[in-house]
């Protein structure tokens, strides 16, 4: 079944059709498995991801990690019901010390990673690349609204692990996330980046069914009884189903998102909604860079003058902006 929005009520008489076999890249596909009280989103990224990653010619492990962060940001950012920004950012002591994904609703993406080439090694996992530090997820509703930020500690785990920890501690919504990134080799020997991801949440109408065990008591005395709650059978089944998804299915350019969802949930019945398009587009401009320069102290602006010009390169999209000292506000 197809609807314009997951918030629209669908009657039992709504039409049923076969899942589309046409793959759609650079989009998020919301879906619902009503019989199990499951809601979710499926991201498929192709040209937009390739555009972001190839602008910097990242080493493969770094590109893969940043791709995972981009997928995670789309799964979370497209849930915004207002015009704003969702910013996912890590700061760690690992080889990839900093990465940021800026999603501006409804569809604009940009991202950047900072890394130490000397510390990169073959076979490093995403957890090893990140190391220890924190993951911050910020919702910015605009200048006149307060920001919301959630923090998750990173301790050698993956971004999937961090997402699960965030939902457990901050949102307290039973959630599972799958992320996959790979390189596709097509004719002419050109490699192109692809990625996919799925977020699945258990959202029953009865709050009692969504209860989870209390967080670990930490330094509680020995013998303290920990609180346990039996997981709902529907959520157990949902976790088992998403656990069968393979990386190749998430990034396969010939497998449509609808067919993948049907493959997973057809026995229970799955309803898909209108795809949400995504595009790679930086928000930098000459005017914005000029305003940034004017916010610097006069001494800092003067030190930026090289060969009688000020050159600023956008870290996100690698666009280069040149200014005369006068244009940059250097006296």
């Amino acid at each position: 079944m197809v609807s314009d929005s997951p918030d629209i009520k669908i009657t039992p008489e709504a039409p049923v059709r076969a899942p589309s076999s046409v793959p759609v890249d650079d989009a998020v596909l919301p879906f619902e498995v009503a019989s199990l009280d499951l809601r979710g989103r499926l991201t498929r990224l192709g040209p937009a991801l390739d555009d972001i990653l190839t602008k910097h010619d990242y080493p493969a492990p770094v590109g893969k990690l940043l791709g995972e962060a981009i997928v995670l940001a789309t799964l979370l950012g497209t849930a915004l019901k207002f015009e704003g920004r969702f910013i996912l950012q890590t700061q760690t002591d690992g080889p990839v010390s900093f990465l940021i994904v800026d999603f501006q609703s409804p569809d604009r993406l940009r991202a950047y990673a900072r890394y130490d080439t000397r510390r990169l090694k073959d076979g490093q996992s995403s957890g090893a690349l990140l190391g220890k530090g924190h993951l911050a997820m910020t919702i910015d509703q605009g200048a006149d609204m307060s920001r919301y930020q959630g923090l998750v500690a990173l301790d050698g785990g993956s971004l999937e692990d961090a997402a699960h920890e965030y939902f457990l501690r901050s949102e307290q919504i039973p959630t599972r996330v799958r992320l996959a990134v790979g390189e596709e080799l097509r004719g002419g020997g050109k490699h192109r980046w692809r990625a996919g991801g799925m977020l699945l949440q258990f959202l029953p109408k009865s709050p009692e069914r969504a209860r989870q065990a209390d967080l670990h008591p930490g330094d509680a005395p020995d013998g303290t009884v920990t609180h346990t709650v039996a997981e709902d059978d529907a959520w157990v089944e949902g976790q088992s189903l998403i656990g069968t998804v393979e990386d190749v299915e998430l990034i396969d350019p010939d497998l449509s998102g609808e067919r993948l969802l049907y493959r997973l949930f057809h026995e229970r019945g799955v309803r898909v909604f209108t795809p949400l398009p995504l595009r790679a587009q930086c928000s930098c401009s000459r005017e914005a860079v000029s305003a940034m320069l004017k916010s610097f102290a006069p001494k800092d602006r003067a030190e930026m003058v090289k060969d009688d010009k000020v050159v600023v390169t956008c870290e996100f999209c690698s666009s280069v902006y040149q200014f005369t000292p006068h244009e940059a506000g250097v006296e």
Side-chain angles (χ1 to χ4, degrees):
M1 297 182 184
V2 180
S3 170
D4 291 333
S5 166
D7 296 323
I8 294 177
K9 184 177 181 180
I10 306 298
T11 65
E13 293 76 25
V16 177
R17 62 164 173 79
S20 172
S21 60
V22 179
V24 178
D25 280 338
D26 299 335
V28 176
L29 182 63
F31 66 90
E32 176 187 42
V33 185
S35 62
L36 295 176
D37 292 312
L38 302 176
R39 286 285 186 92
R41 290 184 289 281
L42 172 66
T43 291
R44 307 297 289 274
L45 288 170
L49 178 73
D50 193 62
D51 181 61
I52 293 171
L53 297 184
T54 54
K55 274 185 167 62
H56 291 275
D57 193 25
Y58 291 112
V62 179
K64 183 176 184 295
L65 178 62
L66 184 57
E68 290 177 354
I70 292 170
V71 174
L72 180 57
T74 65
L75 291 171
L76 301 178
T78 51
L80 298 180
K81 301 298 183 183
F82 51 82
E83 293 291 326
R85 297 168 64 197
F86 177 85
I87 303 166
L88 185 152
Q89 180 176 319
T90 68
Q91 288 187 306
T92 62
D93 63 2
V96 182
S97 58
F98 173 82
L99 62 79
I100 181 171
V101 184
D102 183 355
F103 172 81
Q104 186 168 339
S105 64
D107 60 1
R108 294 197 306 180
L109 277 169
R110 61 178 186 165
Y112 169 73
R114 186 181 303 138
Y115 60 95
D116 185 347
T117 305
R118 297 168 299 178
R119 298 176 62 191
L120 297 177
K121 300 177 182 178
D122 292 337
Q124 284 176 305
S125 66
S126 59
L129 289 170
L130 288 169
K132 296 183 179 181
H134 70 266
L135 166 68
M137 289 177 277
T138 305
I139 297 175
D140 185 353
Q141 301 182 60
D144 299 327
M145 302 289 289
S146 59
R147 284 188 168 195
Y148 166 80
Q149 185 174 78
L151 292 174
V152 180
L154 294 172
D155 193 16
S158 67
L159 289 175
E160 285 185 9
D161 297 331
H164 294 154
E165 187 72 8
Y166 168 76
F167 279 101
L168 175 64
R169 294 183 177 274
S170 300
E171 302 292 330
Q172 297 185 333
I173 299 174
T175 302
R176 282 295 175 268
V177 172
R178 285 283 290 108
L179 308 171
V181 181
E183 290 185 271
E184 175 192 13
L185 178 60
R186 289 283 185 172
K190 179 175 174 57
H191 288 260
R192 293 187 294 189
W193 288 99
R194 292 192 58 80
M198 186 181 297
L199 177 145
L200 189 69
Q201 295 184 309
F202 181 50
L203 297 168
K205 294 179 180 178
S206 168
E208 288 299 311
R209 294 182 59 207
R211 290 182 61 201
Q212 300 185 83
D214 290 342
L215 299 176
H216 191 278
D219 57 357
D222 292 340
T224 300
V225 178
T226 58
H227 177 242
T228 60
V229 175
E231 289 187 311
D232 190 280
D233 289 344
W235 179 229
V236 171
E237 183 174 345
Q239 292 180 87
S240 298
L241 291 171
I242 194 174
T244 66
V245 178
E246 298 182 2
D247 287 2
V248 67
E249 293 179 296
L250 289 170
I251 64 176
D252 186 348
D254 299 318
L255 176 63
S256 74
E258 288 193 3
R259 283 197 175 277
L260 174 55
L261 292 174
Y262 180 77
R263 182 182 295 178
L264 287 174
F265 303 113
H266 68 277
E267 291 186 356
R268 290 295 189 171
V270 59
R271 177 179 298 149
V272 298
F273 304 98
T274 302
L276 310 172
L278 302 167
R279 58 193 172 113
Q281 182 176 333
C282 191
S283 60
C284 72
S285 66
R286 185 175 179 83
E287 292 74 19
V289 175
S290 177
M292 177 195 69
L293 289 173
K294 292 176 181 177
S295 70
F296 293 167
K299 179 182 177 182
D300 294 333
R301 290 198 296 267
E303 291 176 350
M304 296 176 69
V305 178
K306 305 293 181 184
D307 299 325
D308 201 34
K309 60 186 176 183
V310 175
V311 180
V312 179
T313 302
C314 176
E315 288 188 324
F316 286 100
C317 67
S318 298
S319 295
V320 178
Y321 298 92
Q322 293 189 15
F323 301 86
T324 65
H326 176 71
E327 290 173 330
V330 177
E331 300 177 356

